[in-house]
Each structure stands twice: as structure tokens, then as C-alpha cells.
Amino acid sequence: MTIDTAEQMRISMRADCSQCFGLCCTALYIAASADFAMDKIAGQPCTHLQPDYRCGIHATLRETGFKGCTVFDCLGAGQQVSQVTFQGMGWRENPEHGELMFQVFPIMLQVYEIKAFVAEALTYPVSHSLREKLSIEFEKLEGLTRLDAERLLKLDLHSCRVPIKALLTETSISIRQQLAKATKLKLQARHYAGVDWMGKKLAGNDLSCANLRGAFLIAADLRGANLRGADCIGADLRDANISGADLSTAMFLTQMQLNAATGDMHTKLPAHLQRPSHWK
Ligand code: SF4
């Protein structure tokens, strides 16, 4: 797969709620918290879900205690289950499919999350052999998204993840090494995987090319920080302030991470991600 094709693929991985039967509002278990104002069991439609599968409080989600709904991003898994796996048969009109559809959605969601990371990895100038391996895994994931419901339920996602995790790590190291070399940085000194920087003041810090995998950055002050080339896979950016920060070439950053953070019109973002509408 070429870099251009991979870029188009990554950009196209966006939720289209008009093609989905409200699966995130129904299939998932959600515990009451500051992000969601009530408990909701898996398979039970949210009380705000309308008969037409639209949200009845869409315009006021944040003000009414449902901030988490503005953060969630299925990457297109919802419309895939609705329109491909179940061929446009909604669970309200075809209740006999409901339970199966709700079980399949979380699995498809995970396949899409992995697929988005592999698509992003394919947008980088990696070696020919690494590109070949990533392309093979991408094709396999594409195939999984087209499986029928029964087969999706039997998927061993752990076995899918193991080889991909190694390839994404290899991609991260390769690209960050290239960037670090160009800017004369020492990559070894930038290993912060899993670090606990909750609420830490990091405004203006240079974290370019850093390994921030799984870092706890909840409510961290990252205003104006340089996060170019930083690997952000799994980093917890809830309520982190990234106003004015440069994430334009941050690696494996997701729309959900951005939605959960606070930024502004000066925050620089990768081209495949969108500026959240609730930012100033
Ligand atoms: S509040 Fe709206 S978006 Fe959130 S789960 Fe309920 S129906 Fe869905």
C-alpha cells in the first residue's frame, strides 16, 4: 500500500452516525461518572436515544453531564456493523438481531482501533520489509471487518494484536529515530512510557520524539509544548491542556484523545484528525 493510499484510508476512518443504529448508545456498558450522568447496562438503549437512532440531547451533551459522548469515536465501526454485518437491518425494526448486533459492535470497535493504527503506520516512510508486513496485517484486518456476525464473535483479538503491536513499535522507533537524527536529539533520554505526569506542569516543554506510550497525562499542563514526533499511543490525555501545543506530527494520536483534552485554535494537529468543536 502506498503512503497516499494509507493517508486516504486513515482520513476515511470516521464515524457516520447517520448510517449507524445508535450502537454506541445501546451496546456498551457505561458506568455513571462525571462523563456520563447515569448507569447504563450493555444492550440497553440510552434513555436519550430517539426512535430514529439519533441523540435527543446532541446539542447540549456537555452541559447536561454527558461529556463522554462528545469524546467517544467509533472510527466507523458502528456503520460497518449496521450496514455491512447486518446489511441495514436496524435492531428496533428487527429485534431478533439486537442481541447479536450489540455483542458484535465492541469486537468491531477493537478491530477498527487496531486498523486505524496500522493505516497510520503505513503513512510513514518505513523500510520496504516493514511496509510489506504492515500491508499484510492491514489486509487481514480489512478481511476481519467483512466477517459475518458469528465469525466475529469467535475472533481471537489477542492473537491479532501481538504481531501488530511489534510492528507498530518498530514503526515508532524507526520514525522517531529519523526525526531525532534530523534534529540532533538523543532518543534514549526521551523514554517516558507509562510515566505518571498527572497534573504536571509541562508548559512549553520539548517532548518532541518522546516515547509517551501509555503515559498518564491527565490534567497535565502541556500548553505550548512541542510534541512533534512523540509516540502518544495509549497516553491518557483527559483534561490535559494542549492549547498552543504542537502535535502536528505526533504519532498514533487518536481523535478520542484530542476530544478528551482541552485545546484551542493554536493547537497544531495531524492532518487526519479534526479540531474538537468544544475547544475555544
Ligand atoms: S446521551 Fe445521546 S449520544 Fe450519549 S449515549 Fe445517550 S443517546 Fe447516545
Short mmCIF file of all heavy atoms in Angstrom, two decimals, residues 170-236:
data_model
loop_
_atom_site.label_atom_id
_atom_site.label_comp_id
_atom_site.label_asym_id
_atom_site.label_seq_id
_atom_site.Cartn_x
_atom_site.Cartn_y
_atom_site.Cartn_z
N GLU A 170 8.05 -1.09 16.12
CA GLU A 170 9.16 -0.97 15.16
C GLU A 170 9.00 0.32 14.33
O GLU A 170 9.97 1.05 14.09
CB GLU A 170 9.17 -2.21 14.24
CG GLU A 170 10.43 -2.37 13.43
CD GLU A 170 10.40 -3.63 12.56
OE1 GLU A 170 9.66 -4.60 12.89
OE2 GLU A 170 11.12 -3.65 11.55
N THR A 171 7.76 0.59 13.93
CA THR A 171 7.48 1.81 13.16
C THR A 171 7.81 3.04 13.98
O THR A 171 8.47 3.99 13.52
CB THR A 171 5.98 1.86 12.76
OG1 THR A 171 5.66 0.68 12.03
CG2 THR A 171 5.68 3.09 11.91
N SER A 172 7.35 3.04 15.22
CA SER A 172 7.57 4.18 16.11
C SER A 172 9.07 4.47 16.28
O SER A 172 9.52 5.60 16.14
CB SER A 172 6.93 3.89 17.47
OG SER A 172 7.31 4.86 18.41
N ILE A 173 9.82 3.42 16.57
CA ILE A 173 11.27 3.61 16.80
C ILE A 173 11.94 4.12 15.53
O ILE A 173 12.73 5.07 15.56
CB ILE A 173 11.91 2.29 17.29
CG1 ILE A 173 11.39 1.96 18.69
CG2 ILE A 173 13.44 2.40 17.30
CD1 ILE A 173 11.75 0.57 19.19
N SER A 174 11.59 3.51 14.41
CA SER A 174 12.21 3.91 13.15
C SER A 174 11.95 5.38 12.82
O SER A 174 12.87 6.14 12.49
CB SER A 174 11.68 3.00 12.02
OG SER A 174 11.93 3.56 10.77
N ILE A 175 10.69 5.80 12.95
CA ILE A 175 10.34 7.18 12.58
C ILE A 175 10.90 8.18 13.58
O ILE A 175 11.44 9.22 13.20
CB ILE A 175 8.80 7.33 12.46
CG1 ILE A 175 8.28 6.43 11.33
CG2 ILE A 175 8.40 8.79 12.21
CD1 ILE A 175 8.94 6.63 9.98
N ARG A 176 10.84 7.85 14.86
CA ARG A 176 11.36 8.79 15.86
C ARG A 176 12.88 8.90 15.75
O ARG A 176 13.46 9.95 15.98
CB ARG A 176 10.91 8.38 17.26
CG ARG A 176 9.40 8.66 17.47
CD ARG A 176 8.92 8.38 18.88
NE ARG A 176 9.09 7.00 19.26
CZ ARG A 176 9.89 6.58 20.24
NH1 ARG A 176 10.58 7.45 20.95
NH2 ARG A 176 10.00 5.31 20.52
N GLN A 177 13.51 7.77 15.38
CA GLN A 177 14.97 7.84 15.16
C GLN A 177 15.30 8.77 14.00
O GLN A 177 16.24 9.58 14.08
CB GLN A 177 15.52 6.44 14.88
CG GLN A 177 15.92 5.70 16.14
CD GLN A 177 16.33 4.26 15.88
OE1 GLN A 177 16.13 3.74 14.77
NE2 GLN A 177 16.87 3.61 16.89
N GLN A 178 14.53 8.67 12.93
CA GLN A 178 14.76 9.54 11.77
C GLN A 178 14.60 11.01 12.16
O GLN A 178 15.41 11.86 11.82
CB GLN A 178 13.77 9.22 10.66
CG GLN A 178 14.00 7.89 9.96
CD GLN A 178 12.92 7.60 8.91
OE1 GLN A 178 12.46 8.48 8.21
NE2 GLN A 178 12.51 6.35 8.80
N LEU A 179 13.52 11.29 12.92
CA LEU A 179 13.26 12.68 13.32
C LEU A 179 14.32 13.17 14.31
O LEU A 179 14.78 14.32 14.22
CB LEU A 179 11.87 12.79 13.96
CG LEU A 179 10.68 12.58 13.02
CD1 LEU A 179 9.39 12.47 13.81
CD2 LEU A 179 10.58 13.73 12.03
N ALA A 180 14.70 12.31 15.26
CA ALA A 180 15.68 12.71 16.27
C ALA A 180 17.03 12.99 15.62
O ALA A 180 17.72 13.96 15.98
CB ALA A 180 15.81 11.61 17.31
N LYS A 181 17.38 12.17 14.64
CA LYS A 181 18.66 12.37 13.94
C LYS A 181 18.67 13.73 13.23
O LYS A 181 19.66 14.46 13.30
CB LYS A 181 18.85 11.24 12.92
CG LYS A 181 20.24 11.13 12.39
CD LYS A 181 20.37 9.89 11.52
CE LYS A 181 21.71 9.90 10.81
NZ LYS A 181 21.77 8.86 9.80
N ALA A 182 17.54 14.05 12.60
CA ALA A 182 17.46 15.31 11.86
C ALA A 182 17.57 16.52 12.78
O ALA A 182 18.01 17.59 12.37
CB ALA A 182 16.16 15.37 11.07
N THR A 183 17.14 16.35 14.04
CA THR A 183 17.16 17.49 14.97
C THR A 183 18.22 17.32 16.07
O THR A 183 18.23 18.06 17.06
CB THR A 183 15.76 17.68 15.61
OG1 THR A 183 15.29 16.41 16.06
CG2 THR A 183 14.77 18.26 14.65
N LYS A 184 19.08 16.29 15.91
CA LYS A 184 20.20 16.03 16.83
C LYS A 184 19.72 15.80 18.28
O LYS A 184 20.32 16.31 19.24
CB LYS A 184 21.22 17.17 16.79
CG LYS A 184 21.88 17.34 15.42
CD LYS A 184 23.03 18.31 15.51
CE LYS A 184 23.88 18.35 14.27
NZ LYS A 184 23.20 18.66 13.03
N LEU A 185 18.64 15.02 18.43
CA LEU A 185 18.13 14.70 19.77
C LEU A 185 18.61 13.31 20.17
O LEU A 185 18.86 12.47 19.31
CB LEU A 185 16.59 14.68 19.76
CG LEU A 185 15.87 16.00 19.58
CD1 LEU A 185 14.38 15.75 19.43
CD2 LEU A 185 16.12 16.90 20.78
N LYS A 186 18.68 13.07 21.49
CA LYS A 186 19.03 11.73 21.97
C LYS A 186 17.73 11.02 22.35
O LYS A 186 17.09 11.38 23.34
CB LYS A 186 19.94 11.83 23.20
CG LYS A 186 21.35 12.25 22.86
CD LYS A 186 22.31 11.78 23.97
CE LYS A 186 23.75 12.06 23.58
NZ LYS A 186 24.29 13.26 24.20
N LEU A 187 17.36 10.01 21.55
CA LEU A 187 16.08 9.34 21.74
C LEU A 187 16.00 8.61 23.09
O LEU A 187 14.97 8.60 23.74
CB LEU A 187 15.87 8.33 20.60
CG LEU A 187 14.44 8.10 20.14
CD1 LEU A 187 13.73 9.39 19.80
CD2 LEU A 187 14.43 7.16 18.95
N GLN A 188 17.14 8.02 23.52
CA GLN A 188 17.14 7.24 24.76
C GLN A 188 16.70 8.09 25.95
O GLN A 188 16.10 7.60 26.90
CB GLN A 188 18.54 6.67 25.08
CG GLN A 188 19.18 5.87 23.98
CD GLN A 188 19.96 6.75 23.02
OE1 GLN A 188 19.43 7.69 22.46
NE2 GLN A 188 21.23 6.44 22.84
N ALA A 189 17.01 9.38 25.91
CA ALA A 189 16.68 10.27 27.03
C ALA A 189 15.22 10.68 27.01
O ALA A 189 14.77 11.42 27.88
CB ALA A 189 17.57 11.51 26.97
N ARG A 190 14.48 10.21 26.04
CA ARG A 190 13.08 10.62 25.90
C ARG A 190 12.13 9.44 26.05
O ARG A 190 11.15 9.33 25.35
CB ARG A 190 12.89 11.30 24.53
CG ARG A 190 13.62 12.61 24.54
CD ARG A 190 13.66 13.34 23.25
NE ARG A 190 14.37 14.56 23.52
CZ ARG A 190 13.83 15.78 23.48
NH1 ARG A 190 12.58 15.93 23.11
NH2 ARG A 190 14.53 16.83 23.79
N HIS A 191 12.46 8.56 26.95
CA HIS A 191 11.63 7.36 27.15
C HIS A 191 10.73 7.58 28.37
O HIS A 191 11.18 7.48 29.52
CB HIS A 191 12.53 6.14 27.35
CG HIS A 191 11.75 4.87 27.42
ND1 HIS A 191 11.30 4.21 26.29
CD2 HIS A 191 11.30 4.15 28.47
CE1 HIS A 191 10.61 3.13 26.65
NE2 HIS A 191 10.60 3.09 27.97
N TYR A 192 9.49 7.91 28.12
CA TYR A 192 8.56 8.20 29.22
C TYR A 192 7.34 7.29 29.18
O TYR A 192 6.26 7.67 29.63
CB TYR A 192 8.10 9.67 29.15
CG TYR A 192 9.23 10.66 29.12
CD1 TYR A 192 9.42 11.51 28.03
CD2 TYR A 192 10.12 10.76 30.19
CE1 TYR A 192 10.45 12.42 27.99
CE2 TYR A 192 11.16 11.67 30.17
CZ TYR A 192 11.32 12.50 29.06
OH TYR A 192 12.35 13.40 29.04
N ALA A 193 7.48 6.11 28.62
CA ALA A 193 6.33 5.19 28.52
C ALA A 193 5.78 4.91 29.92
O ALA A 193 6.53 4.59 30.84
CB ALA A 193 6.77 3.89 27.85
N GLY A 194 4.48 5.06 30.08
CA GLY A 194 3.81 4.75 31.35
C GLY A 194 4.08 5.72 32.47
O GLY A 194 3.66 5.50 33.61
N VAL A 195 4.76 6.83 32.19
CA VAL A 195 5.10 7.79 33.25
C VAL A 195 3.83 8.41 33.84
O VAL A 195 2.83 8.58 33.16
CB VAL A 195 6.03 8.88 32.67
CG1 VAL A 195 5.27 9.83 31.74
CG2 VAL A 195 6.69 9.68 33.79
N ASP A 196 3.87 8.71 35.14
CA ASP A 196 2.72 9.34 35.79
C ASP A 196 2.98 10.85 35.88
O ASP A 196 3.68 11.31 36.78
CB ASP A 196 2.51 8.75 37.19
CG ASP A 196 1.27 9.33 37.86
OD1 ASP A 196 0.68 10.28 37.30
OD2 ASP A 196 0.89 8.83 38.93
N TRP A 197 2.43 11.58 34.94
CA TRP A 197 2.57 13.04 34.93
C TRP A 197 1.20 13.69 35.09
O TRP A 197 0.90 14.72 34.52
CB TRP A 197 3.22 13.50 33.61
CG TRP A 197 4.71 13.31 33.58
CD1 TRP A 197 5.53 13.04 34.63
CD2 TRP A 197 5.57 13.42 32.43
NE1 TRP A 197 6.85 12.95 34.22
CE2 TRP A 197 6.89 13.18 32.87
CE3 TRP A 197 5.35 13.68 31.09
CZ2 TRP A 197 7.98 13.21 32.00
CZ3 TRP A 197 6.43 13.71 30.22
CH2 TRP A 197 7.73 13.48 30.68
N MET A 198 0.39 13.08 35.95
CA MET A 198 -0.95 13.62 36.18
C MET A 198 -0.85 15.02 36.77
O MET A 198 -0.20 15.23 37.80
CB MET A 198 -1.70 12.72 37.17
CG MET A 198 -2.84 11.97 36.52
SD MET A 198 -3.76 11.05 37.72
CE MET A 198 -3.20 9.43 37.35
N GLY A 199 -1.46 15.99 36.12
CA GLY A 199 -1.48 17.36 36.62
C GLY A 199 -0.13 18.08 36.55
O GLY A 199 0.01 19.20 37.05
N LYS A 200 0.87 17.47 35.96
CA LYS A 200 2.22 18.05 35.94
C LYS A 200 2.30 19.29 35.05
O LYS A 200 1.65 19.36 34.01
CB LYS A 200 3.21 16.99 35.45
CG LYS A 200 4.67 17.33 35.73
CD LYS A 200 5.54 16.13 35.39
CE LYS A 200 7.03 16.45 35.48
NZ LYS A 200 7.55 16.64 36.81
N LYS A 201 3.12 20.23 35.48
CA LYS A 201 3.28 21.46 34.69
C LYS A 201 4.39 21.24 33.65
O LYS A 201 5.56 21.14 33.99
CB LYS A 201 3.65 22.62 35.61
CG LYS A 201 2.55 22.94 36.62
CD LYS A 201 2.75 24.28 37.26
CE LYS A 201 1.73 24.55 38.36
NZ LYS A 201 0.37 24.18 38.08
N LEU A 202 3.97 21.13 32.43
CA LEU A 202 4.92 20.84 31.33
C LEU A 202 4.79 21.88 30.22
O LEU A 202 5.19 21.64 29.09
CB LEU A 202 4.63 19.45 30.76
CG LEU A 202 4.83 18.27 31.73
CD1 LEU A 202 4.08 17.04 31.25
CD2 LEU A 202 6.31 17.96 31.88
N ALA A 203 4.23 23.02 30.57
CA ALA A 203 4.00 24.07 29.57
C ALA A 203 5.32 24.45 28.90
O ALA A 203 6.33 24.68 29.58
CB ALA A 203 3.36 25.29 30.21
N GLY A 204 5.30 24.48 27.58
CA GLY A 204 6.47 24.89 26.82
C GLY A 204 7.57 23.86 26.74
O GLY A 204 8.61 24.10 26.13
N ASN A 205 7.38 22.68 27.36
CA ASN A 205 8.44 21.65 27.34
C ASN A 205 8.66 21.07 25.95
O ASN A 205 7.74 20.97 25.14
CB ASN A 205 8.08 20.51 28.28
CG ASN A 205 8.55 20.79 29.70
OD1 ASN A 205 8.56 21.94 30.13
ND2 ASN A 205 8.92 19.76 30.42
N ASP A 206 9.89 20.66 25.71
CA ASP A 206 10.21 19.99 24.45
C ASP A 206 10.09 18.47 24.66
O ASP A 206 10.96 17.86 25.27
CB ASP A 206 11.63 20.35 24.00
CG ASP A 206 11.98 19.65 22.69
OD1 ASP A 206 11.10 18.97 22.12
OD2 ASP A 206 13.13 19.79 22.24
N LEU A 207 8.99 17.90 24.18
CA LEU A 207 8.78 16.45 24.29
C LEU A 207 8.79 15.83 22.89
O LEU A 207 8.21 14.77 22.66
CB LEU A 207 7.44 16.17 25.00
CG LEU A 207 7.39 16.57 26.48
CD1 LEU A 207 5.97 16.55 27.00
CD2 LEU A 207 8.26 15.62 27.30
N SER A 208 9.43 16.51 21.97
CA SER A 208 9.46 16.00 20.60
C SER A 208 10.16 14.64 20.57
O SER A 208 11.13 14.40 21.29
CB SER A 208 10.18 16.99 19.67
OG SER A 208 11.48 17.25 20.14
N CYS A 209 9.61 13.76 19.76
CA CYS A 209 10.14 12.39 19.57
C CYS A 209 10.10 11.54 20.83
O CYS A 209 10.71 10.47 20.87
CB CYS A 209 11.58 12.41 19.03
SG CYS A 209 11.73 13.26 17.48
N ALA A 210 9.42 12.01 21.87
CA ALA A 210 9.39 11.24 23.12
C ALA A 210 8.52 10.00 22.97
O ALA A 210 7.58 9.97 22.19
CB ALA A 210 8.84 12.11 24.24
N ASN A 211 8.87 8.98 23.76
CA ASN A 211 8.02 7.80 23.86
C ASN A 211 7.06 8.05 25.02
O ASN A 211 7.43 7.96 26.18
CB ASN A 211 8.88 6.56 24.13
CG ASN A 211 8.02 5.31 24.29
OD1 ASN A 211 6.80 5.39 24.34
ND2 ASN A 211 8.66 4.16 24.37
N LEU A 212 5.82 8.38 24.69
CA LEU A 212 4.80 8.67 25.71
C LEU A 212 3.74 7.58 25.73
O LEU A 212 2.61 7.80 26.15
CB LEU A 212 4.14 10.03 25.41
CG LEU A 212 5.04 11.26 25.57
CD1 LEU A 212 4.36 12.50 25.01
CD2 LEU A 212 5.39 11.47 27.04
N ARG A 213 4.13 6.38 25.31
CA ARG A 213 3.15 5.27 25.26
C ARG A 213 2.57 5.00 26.65
O ARG A 213 3.30 4.77 27.61
CB ARG A 213 3.84 4.01 24.76
CG ARG A 213 4.28 4.15 23.32
CD ARG A 213 4.89 2.88 22.78
NE ARG A 213 4.59 2.79 21.36
CZ ARG A 213 4.25 1.70 20.73
NH1 ARG A 213 4.16 0.56 21.38
NH2 ARG A 213 3.99 1.72 19.44
N GLY A 214 1.25 5.05 26.73
CA GLY A 214 0.57 4.75 27.99
C GLY A 214 0.87 5.74 29.10
O GLY A 214 0.61 5.44 30.27
N ALA A 215 1.39 6.91 28.78
CA ALA A 215 1.71 7.90 29.83
C ALA A 215 0.43 8.48 30.41
O ALA A 215 -0.56 8.66 29.72
CB ALA A 215 2.56 9.03 29.23
N PHE A 216 0.46 8.73 31.74
CA PHE A 216 -0.70 9.33 32.41
C PHE A 216 -0.52 10.84 32.39
O PHE A 216 0.26 11.40 33.16
CB PHE A 216 -0.81 8.82 33.85
CG PHE A 216 -1.16 7.37 33.92
CD1 PHE A 216 -0.16 6.40 34.02
CD2 PHE A 216 -2.48 6.95 33.86
CE1 PHE A 216 -0.48 5.06 34.06
CE2 PHE A 216 -2.81 5.60 33.90
CZ PHE A 216 -1.80 4.65 33.99
N LEU A 217 -1.22 11.48 31.49
CA LEU A 217 -1.08 12.94 31.32
C LEU A 217 -2.38 13.65 31.69
O LEU A 217 -2.64 14.77 31.24
CB LEU A 217 -0.68 13.24 29.87
CG LEU A 217 0.66 12.65 29.43
CD1 LEU A 217 0.82 12.72 27.93
CD2 LEU A 217 1.81 13.36 30.12
N ILE A 218 -3.17 12.99 32.54
CA ILE A 218 -4.48 13.55 32.93
C ILE A 218 -4.27 14.93 33.56
O ILE A 218 -3.47 15.09 34.50
CB ILE A 218 -5.20 12.62 33.92
CG1 ILE A 218 -5.44 11.25 33.27
CG2 ILE A 218 -6.52 13.23 34.40
CD1 ILE A 218 -5.89 10.18 34.25
N ALA A 219 -4.98 15.93 33.02
CA ALA A 219 -4.93 17.31 33.53
C ALA A 219 -3.52 17.91 33.53
O ALA A 219 -3.27 18.89 34.24
CB ALA A 219 -5.54 17.38 34.93
N ALA A 220 -2.60 17.34 32.77
CA ALA A 220 -1.26 17.92 32.68
C ALA A 220 -1.34 19.25 31.92
O ALA A 220 -2.18 19.42 31.04
CB ALA A 220 -0.32 16.96 31.95
N ASP A 221 -0.45 20.15 32.28
CA ASP A 221 -0.39 21.44 31.60
C ASP A 221 0.65 21.34 30.48
O ASP A 221 1.85 21.42 30.73
CB ASP A 221 0.00 22.54 32.60
CG ASP A 221 0.04 23.91 31.93
OD1 ASP A 221 -0.21 24.00 30.71
OD2 ASP A 221 0.34 24.89 32.64
N LEU A 222 0.15 21.14 29.29
CA LEU A 222 1.04 20.96 28.12
C LEU A 222 0.91 22.15 27.17
O LEU A 222 1.20 22.03 25.97
CB LEU A 222 0.68 19.65 27.40
CG LEU A 222 1.11 18.36 28.12
CD1 LEU A 222 0.28 17.18 27.65
CD2 LEU A 222 2.59 18.09 27.89
N ARG A 223 0.49 23.27 27.72
CA ARG A 223 0.30 24.44 26.84
C ARG A 223 1.62 24.79 26.14
O ARG A 223 2.67 24.89 26.77
CB ARG A 223 -0.18 25.64 27.65
CG ARG A 223 -1.63 25.55 28.08
CD ARG A 223 -2.00 26.67 29.00
NE ARG A 223 -1.19 26.61 30.22
CZ ARG A 223 -1.05 27.61 31.07
NH1 ARG A 223 -1.65 28.75 30.83
NH2 ARG A 223 -0.30 27.47 32.14
N GLY A 224 1.53 24.93 24.84
CA GLY A 224 2.70 25.34 24.06
C GLY A 224 3.81 24.30 23.98
O GLY A 224 4.91 24.60 23.52
N ALA A 225 3.55 23.09 24.45
CA ALA A 225 4.61 22.05 24.43
C ALA A 225 4.86 21.58 23.00
O ALA A 225 3.97 21.63 22.14
CB ALA A 225 4.20 20.87 25.31
N ASN A 226 6.08 21.10 22.79
CA ASN A 226 6.45 20.55 21.49
C ASN A 226 6.32 19.03 21.54
O ASN A 226 7.11 18.36 22.21
CB ASN A 226 7.89 20.96 21.15
CG ASN A 226 8.34 20.39 19.81
OD1 ASN A 226 7.58 19.69 19.13
ND2 ASN A 226 9.57 20.68 19.42
N LEU A 227 5.29 18.51 20.89
CA LEU A 227 5.05 17.06 20.89
C LEU A 227 5.22 16.49 19.48
O LEU A 227 4.68 15.43 19.15
CB LEU A 227 3.64 16.77 21.42
CG LEU A 227 3.51 17.02 22.93
CD1 LEU A 227 2.13 17.53 23.29
CD2 LEU A 227 3.81 15.75 23.71
N ARG A 228 5.99 17.18 18.68
CA ARG A 228 6.21 16.70 17.30
C ARG A 228 6.94 15.36 17.35
O ARG A 228 7.92 15.20 18.06
CB ARG A 228 7.05 17.71 16.51
CG ARG A 228 6.31 19.01 16.20
CD ARG A 228 7.23 20.02 15.53
NE ARG A 228 7.69 19.55 14.24
CZ ARG A 228 7.01 19.64 13.11
NH1 ARG A 228 5.84 20.22 13.11
NH2 ARG A 228 7.50 19.17 11.99
N GLY A 229 6.41 14.40 16.62
CA GLY A 229 7.07 13.09 16.55
C GLY A 229 6.96 12.27 17.83
O GLY A 229 7.57 11.21 17.93
N ALA A 230 6.18 12.74 18.81
CA ALA A 230 6.04 11.96 20.06
C ALA A 230 5.07 10.81 19.81
O ALA A 230 4.05 10.99 19.15
CB ALA A 230 5.52 12.85 21.17
N ASP A 231 5.41 9.63 20.35
CA ASP A 231 4.52 8.47 20.22
C ASP A 231 3.50 8.54 21.36
O ASP A 231 3.85 8.38 22.53
CB ASP A 231 5.35 7.18 20.30
CG ASP A 231 4.48 5.93 20.12
OD1 ASP A 231 3.23 6.05 20.20
OD2 ASP A 231 5.05 4.84 19.91
N CYS A 232 2.24 8.78 21.01
CA CYS A 232 1.18 9.00 22.01
C CYS A 232 0.25 7.81 22.16
O CYS A 232 -0.83 7.95 22.72
CB CYS A 232 0.37 10.23 21.62
SG CYS A 232 1.34 11.75 21.62
N ILE A 233 0.65 6.65 21.69
CA ILE A 233 -0.28 5.51 21.72
C ILE A 233 -0.66 5.19 23.17
O ILE A 233 0.20 5.04 24.03
CB ILE A 233 0.33 4.28 20.99
CG1 ILE A 233 -0.76 3.34 20.50
CG2 ILE A 233 1.31 3.52 21.83
CD1 ILE A 233 -0.29 2.32 19.46
N GLY A 234 -1.95 5.18 23.42
CA GLY A 234 -2.43 4.83 24.77
C GLY A 234 -2.20 5.89 25.83
O GLY A 234 -2.51 5.65 27.00
N ALA A 235 -1.68 7.05 25.49
CA ALA A 235 -1.46 8.10 26.50
C ALA A 235 -2.82 8.65 26.95
O ALA A 235 -3.71 8.84 26.13
CB ALA A 235 -0.59 9.22 25.92
N ASP A 236 -2.95 8.87 28.24
CA ASP A 236 -4.23 9.37 28.78
C ASP A 236 -4.17 10.89 28.86
O ASP A 236 -3.50 11.46 29.72
CB ASP A 236 -4.47 8.77 30.17
CG ASP A 236 -5.91 8.97 30.61
OD1 ASP A 236 -6.56 9.90 30.11
OD2 ASP A 236 -6.37 8.19 31.46
#
